[in-house]
Structures are given as C-alpha cells and as structure tokens.
Amino acid sequence: MQARPDRSRACTLLAAGCTHSGRGTVAVMPTLLVRNATVLVTMDAARREIAGGGLFARDGVIEQVGPTAELPPTADEVVDARDRLVLPGLINTHHHLYQSLTRAIPGAQDAGLFDWLRTLYPIWARLDPGSVRVATTLGLLELARSGCTTAFDHQYLWPNGSRVDDQIEGAAAVGLRFHASRGSMSLSMKDGGLPPDSVVQTIDEILADSARVIGAFHDPSPGAMTRIVLAPCSPFSVTEDLMRATATLARERGVRLHTHLAETKDEESFTLERFGRRPVDYAADLGWLGDDVWFAHGVFVSGDEIGRMASTGTGVAHCPTSNMRLASGIAPVRGYLAAGVPVGIGVDGSASNDSGNLLAEARQALLLCRLTVSPGVGEGPQMSARTALEMATRGGASVLGRDDVGALEAGRMADFFTLDLDRVEFAGSHHDPVAAALLCSPVPADSVFVGGRAVIREGHHVSLDEGALVARHNRAAAALVA
Ligand SMILES: [Zn+2]
C-alpha cells in the first residue's frame, strides 16, 4: 500500500489557499481517492462487489464508488489499494471494554456466566477513572486493528468515581466512532440480584447521570463520532422500575436502549421464577421492544419471541465467541435473519472472549451458525461468508440505528478498511478474496479509515504509541487484580 502521509494533505490544502486560521478564507474540504482495489465490497442495496474499484470522498463523505477508471484521477490523499480488498468498516454492537483488564483470570477461565460474574465482580469493583480510560483506549485500538470503525460499549459499573467521561476521553485517542453507554446495575444480592452491593447504584443516581451524559456527549447528527445509549445491565442485576424509567428517559431524549437478554439458561430460569415471564415477554411489559432497542445475545428465545422482536424492529447483538467461552448456548441467528430481526455482531467483553477481534468474531458467527444445521450431517443451507460480513457491517449499522455507515456508497461516511491479499494467510484463496476474508485465518487490517481519515496504516495506529499503551494497560491490569 502506498498512501501519502498526512503532511502532503496539509501541503495540498495550503496550496489550495486554506490557511486553517485566517479569517475570511473559504474552507477547503479535503478529498480522498482510493483506487485499484482487487475488489471493493460496497454492501450497498445491490451488494455490488467492484473488481478494480475504488471510492472518492470529500470531507469524510463518499461522493462516488465505482471502477477506478470512472473516479476522479487524483485527490488530496490517494490510497493505492492494489492487491488489497477494500471492505466497509466493521461495526461492533456489544462489548465491555473494561474487561480487557481481566482477560484469562484463572478463577474465571472455566466457569459459566453466573459463577464467572461472581468471580469477577469484586475485581471490577476496584476499577477507577484511570483504568477505565486505559482499557477503553486499548480495547478500541484492538478493535480498530481488526477493521472496526464504529464501536458500541456497554459499561454498567462505575466504581470509585469512574464516569462515561473517562471512556469518551480514552476513545478520542483512537479515532473510532464511539457509541458509549450509560449502563447501570440497581439490583444487588441483598434484594435478590447477582452483583454485590459495592457495584450497584440507586435509581436516582443512575437517571440523573444518564441525563447529564446525554446532554454532555450525545450527537444525533449524521457522521457523529459520539453517541450515548442507555443500557441497564441484565434482568438479574436491574429492577423493573429502573428498566421502565430508563426507557422513558431514552425516548424523551432520543437515544437508544440496550441490555443483555436471554443469554443463558440460568437467566431464563431467573426471569421465569422472579417475574413469571419469558425474557422477551418481560422486556415487552417494561416497554423494551421497539426499533430503538437491541439486546445482547438473545440465545434462549422461542419462535414467538423472535416474531415479537421482528414485528417491533428490535435488534440483537450476536456474540458467538462469548456464548461458546461461557458455554451459554447457540443463538438462533438463522431464525432471526429469516424473520427480519436486525442482527449485528459483537465481540462482547474481553473477559468472556479474551479477544476484541471483530473480523474473527464474524468468522465465529459463520462457523457456529453452521452447527445449527443438521449437526454432524452438514445438510441444509449454510450461512455464507457474505452473510456473516453483512451482519458485521450493514447489520451492525442497522442495530445501532445508523444509515450513514455500514456500506460504501455515495452519501455514507468514508469508513473502510483494507486487507493485504499478499499475506501468507490468503495464499491460494484469490479465487474469491471476499469469501477468503471470512473463511481464511483472520488477519489484521492493513489500513483503516474513519470519515476519510487514516486511523491505522500498515497495521499500526497512526499516532498512538502502541507499546507504551500496552505497558500502561498491563500495569493497570496487574494493579486491579493484585
Ligand atoms: Zn455482555
């Protein structure tokens, strides 16, 4: 890949008369040309894949996608994508970035969800603003290196003065579009919930801070880099009152709603015993179905529940590695897709995945889904690589309520990544490079652009000192677990 350094963009701008500071100067909107891609995958309505393709963007917004010969011949920045696959930026729909500090914790390596949580809650209770900040930066960098350009994070515990503000600060250093959540827990052990008292808050504290955070950070405009989501944690850690009040506040303020639902058999039993209802019925009674809602996991849902989600536009974040790691179960993704439920992919927290690689997660979704078709026989229609890629791009955009990302077409943001097809992992796969991106071993993104600006070049972040960040993160992890 030969990409011109940023300084040449500045020179071009200066040559065009932009002083960046002078009064009365006409703003010059920088242009970006990507050309000569082996294949450019649009994920547009026609799902076009353009051999020898490229795109032209102005001020971060795509103006043209097509064969290189039909694009403008030059731009302020030119990216030659020869021997590269160009893909829409991946969109992560469920994560807990702070958990990168507690990967591979010995006592939680071989446990199911509830025991895993009981082991980790006391450690997470020691989080503070600094550890939340460094974990956010590290986790988003890890996602970026896998081709992710938009990430949602579900942070639901705020001990020792940590705030959404710390995450926003940590995210800014990476440059991805960040959907932060004001998550919450309000039902502790003494009231029949799972978490200890030390990590829950009162409903008044939660709602007041939720309103503050929306006012401070939520940007509803197209191309937004930061949005806020309200996200009570799960049926076994949140009261019904908080669920209802959160839905009311979110709809008053125009932000989306997210929670864990139907993740494990334990949770299904808890919901049936405590609330006398199945998980989706419970959510429906609290006002938690709608096209502004998406659930993480949705493993234990009936056909009727899938139908209710489809008819209300309620989405789901499918997290296959976490579901395997915690032995939770297999989500009925084929059923969701057939019914028209919006489905995105999520890496889930780094402590139940031990990884934050979204391309690898899309591959896991593909492979796990195949086990739901006549296991041991392999008959029936199989999920294709392109369907898995669609869930990780268009699907994720729809789950997050965005029509400005998730595909490469005129009017959407220039969010994309490239894969180097000359790598060892792709040798012998050039018969179908698009399928190879999912079927072959997941490789790091060669370059990643968000809104037409490079975040990753030649596999590394354009400005972060990655080694220093890892060292800082490891010190924070050691202090937290000590
Ligand atoms: Zn989760």
Side-chain angles (χ1 to χ4, degrees):
M1 159 98 41
Q2 291 162 3
R4 286 160 52 185
D6 277 338
R7 61 179 174 275
S8 57
R9 172 193 284 186
C11 290
T12 309
L13 290 176
L14 288 167
C18 177
T19 65
H20 300 287
S21 58
R23 285 188 184 177
T25 53
V26 177
V28 174
M29 295 191 284
T31 53
L32 170 72
L33 173 66
V34 180
R35 62 185 177 196
N36 299 326
T38 301
V39 181
L40 179 141
V41 177
T42 65
M43 279 294 162
D44 64 6
R47 306 297 190 269
R48 284 182 305 152
E49 295 174 4
I50 305 169
L55 62 82
F56 181 82
R58 188 184 306 275
D59 205 25
V61 180
I62 297 171
E63 284 188 354
Q64 251 183 286
V65 174
T68 296
E70 296 176 12
L71 299 173
T74 190
D76 296 317
E77 178 169 7
V78 178
V79 174
D80 188 346
R82 201 175 302 271
D83 301 324
R84 269 37 178 196
L85 186 62
V86 176
L87 298 161
L90 304 180
I91 295 174
N92 193 35
T93 58
H94 186 67
H95 205 349
H96 312 286
L97 290 161
Y98 70 89
Q99 292 181 10
S100 62
L101 296 159
T102 55
R103 297 200 241 226
I105 293 280
Q109 287 173 9
D110 307 316
L113 178 67
F114 281 16
D115 287 337
W116 176 86
L117 283 168
R118 286 189 193 100
T119 304
L120 289 166
Y121 281 140
I123 299 174
W124 295 338
R126 295 197 288 268
L127 285 166
D128 62 14
S131 51
V132 167
R133 215 176 297 131
V134 73
T136 301
T137 308
L138 186 289
L140 290 175
L141 171 63
E142 186 178 14
L143 280 172
R145 288 172 52 133
S146 74
C148 176
T149 52
T150 299
F152 165 71
D153 190 57
H154 189 181
Q155 176 103 5
Y156 50 80
L157 35 74
W158 305 98
N160 305 310
S162 55
R163 303 192 302 167
V164 170
D165 313 46
D166 303 312
Q167 288 207 284
I168 302 286
E169 202 180 309
V174 184
L176 300 194
R177 298 186 198 284
F178 186 44
H179 289 221
S181 66
R182 203 323 177 168
S184 53
M185 295 200 292
S186 62
L187 184 71
S188 71
M189 273 190 287
K190 70 172 170 20
D191 299 315
L194 196 73
D197 293 351
S198 59
V199 291
V200 306
Q201 294 177 301
T202 67
I203 186 166
D204 290 345
E205 278 177 289
I206 292 164
L207 294 174
D209 195 49
S210 297
R212 176 190 73 82
V213 164
I214 294 168
F217 301 114
H218 183 65
D219 177 2
S221 63
M225 292 298 291
T226 308
R227 288 198 179 157
I228 297 295
V229 174
L230 297 188
C233 185
S234 61
F236 51 85
S237 61
V238 169
T239 60
E240 289 176 85
D241 286 351
L242 178 62
M243 289 293 281
R244 282 200 185 86
T246 300
T248 301
L249 175 61
R251 284 167 182 146
E252 279 170 9
R253 302 292 296 269
V255 303
R256 295 177 82 75
L257 288 161
H258 178 67
T259 192
H260 294 96
L261 199 79
E263 179 174 359
T264 62
K265 199 77 187 160
D266 285 1
E267 185 204 306
E268 182 187 51
S269 306
F270 180 95
T271 310
L272 283 167
E273 280 164 28
R274 185 176 174 100
F275 308 117
R277 283 159 286 179
R278 294 196 46 76
V280 173
D281 294 333
Y282 164 74
D285 290 349
L286 300 174
W288 270 73
L289 289 185
D291 61 7
D292 56 351
V293 179
W294 85 104
F295 302 134
H297 303 298
V299 173
F300 291 90
V301 292
S302 65
D304 284 350
E305 288 173 300
I306 291 175
R308 292 191 79 173
M309 289 172 65
S311 65
T312 53
T314 308
V316 68
H318 175 44
C319 308
T321 302
S322 174
N323 296 156
M324 287 188 269
R325 162 75 152 82
L326 298 175
S328 303
I330 305 178
V333 173
R334 285 157 46 86
Y336 284 132
L337 293 176
V341 172
V343 182
I345 301 289
V347 298
D348 203 0
S350 290
S352 65
N353 182 323
D354 309 285
S355 157
N357 185 320
L358 193 47
L359 185 60
E361 201 64 32
R363 182 173 193 262
Q364 292 280 54
L366 161 69
L367 296 176
L368 184 60
C369 186
R370 293 190 171 194
L371 284 186
T372 65
V373 180
S374 303
V377 181
E379 290 177 352
Q382 305 282 352
M383 177 180 283
S384 72
R386 285 169 173 80
T387 299
L389 184 63
E390 183 170 330
M391 289 194 293
T393 52
R394 271 189 94 89
S398 142
V399 162
L400 294 189
R402 296 194 73 136
D403 58 9
D404 57 345
V405 297
L408 300 179
E409 61 184 334
R412 297 212 194 208
M413 305 307 297
D415 291 9
F416 61 91
F417 71 110
T418 68
L419 295 175
D420 177 359
L421 295 170
D422 286 338
R423 292 181 66 105
V424 168
E425 295 88 341
F426 289 132
S429 75
H430 293 185
H431 327 290
D432 186 350
V434 180
L438 278 291
L439 291 172
C440 297
S441 183
V443 304
D446 180 56
S447 64
V448 177
F449 282 72
V450 177
R453 298 176 66 96
V455 170
I456 301 286
R457 286 192 201 274
E458 296 180 2
H460 295 284
H461 196 271
V462 293
S463 57
L464 280 170
D465 180 339
E466 296 178 3
L469 174 63
V470 169
R472 204 148 42 88
H473 184 270
N474 283 341
R475 283 195 297 276
L480 193 68
V481 178

